[in-house]
Amino acid sequence: MSETSLISRARVAALPLLMLLCLTVYNDVLPVAEAIWLTIPSSGTKCVSEEIQSNVVVLSDYYVIDEAHPDHPPKISARVTSPYGNNLHHSENVTHGQFAFTTSEAGNYLACFWLADNQQQGAETTLGLDWRIGFSAKDWDSVAKKEKIEGVELNLKRLEAQVQSIHENLLFLKHREAEMREVSEATNSRVAWFSIMAIGLCIVVSVLQLWHLTRYFQKKKLI
């Protein structure tokens, strides 16, 4: 048996382990696709937020769920804003919709939903939200057709993209940790200086009080 054949078999045998490892790390580090149900109050707004780093693709579908009146579900309005308050998506009087964008800054992205003004008040509405970020938002069927790959090669392509996403998220977490450490160190330094100043002020006040009492007793000829 040739050496090349042995190497190929070793790679195939190691593939399931590599996939399991990547999926395990992926679930711990990366935000995966989330399908959630939201209950929109009759009056007010329901919002969800997600902390996302910059240059990440976000894709989401939302739709009203009304089992009692499936043909005429209530209409809602939706708005998605960036961490700096920029409007990324705005839709009114709809029963379903979709938004997609690439993040330009890191932070909390906010999606808010509320009932349209012409809807009957007094009843809550259920909304389905399919939120996909980064690796989960990529259309792998289109990638497979475009690059004409399938099977193991497609899985390796997905694993490569997944590992790249994990690496980018780890760098993002490392950067956030460094920022938090700098803020913590700066806060500790300020607290230390404040404590030193407070102690110094107490010493000065004590000396002045002692000096004042000494002069007072001397004037009264008590000492």
Side-chain angles (χ1 to χ4, degrees), residues 36-41 63-67 73-74 76 95 115 123-129:
I36 58 176
W37 284 11
L38 302 175
T39 300
I40 304 177
Y63 45 90
V64 176
I65 301 173
D66 190 353
E67 297 179 353
I76 62 167
T95 58
L115 288 176
E124 297 180 338
T125 301
T126 302
L127 178 75
L129 178 63

Side-chain angles (χ1 to χ4, degrees), residues 27-61:
N27 290 331
D28 292 337
V29 177
L30 295 180
V32 296
E34 296 181 57
I36 58 176
W37 284 11
L38 302 175
T39 300
I40 304 177
S42 58
S43 60
T45 304
K46 187 72 172 184
C47 297
V48 293
S49 65
E50 185 76 33
E51 185 174 1
I52 313 173
Q53 60 175 313
S54 58
N55 298 321
V56 174
V57 177
V58 178
L59 178 63
S60 182
D61 298 283

Side-chain angles (χ1 to χ4, degrees), residues 18-32 53 56 133-136 158-174:
L18 179 60
M19 292 178 65
L20 178 61
L21 178 61
C22 288
L23 289 175
T24 302
V25 177
Y26 176 78
N27 290 331
D28 292 337
V29 177
L30 295 180
V32 296
Q53 60 175 313
V56 174
I133 302 172
F135 173 83
S136 302
R158 295 181 63 179
L159 284 174
E160 182 183 0
Q162 196 168 353
V163 170
Q164 180 65 26
S165 298
I166 293 172
H167 178 68
E168 292 175 355
N169 275 269
L170 288 175
L171 292 178
F172 173 71
L173 293 175
K174 182 179 179 181

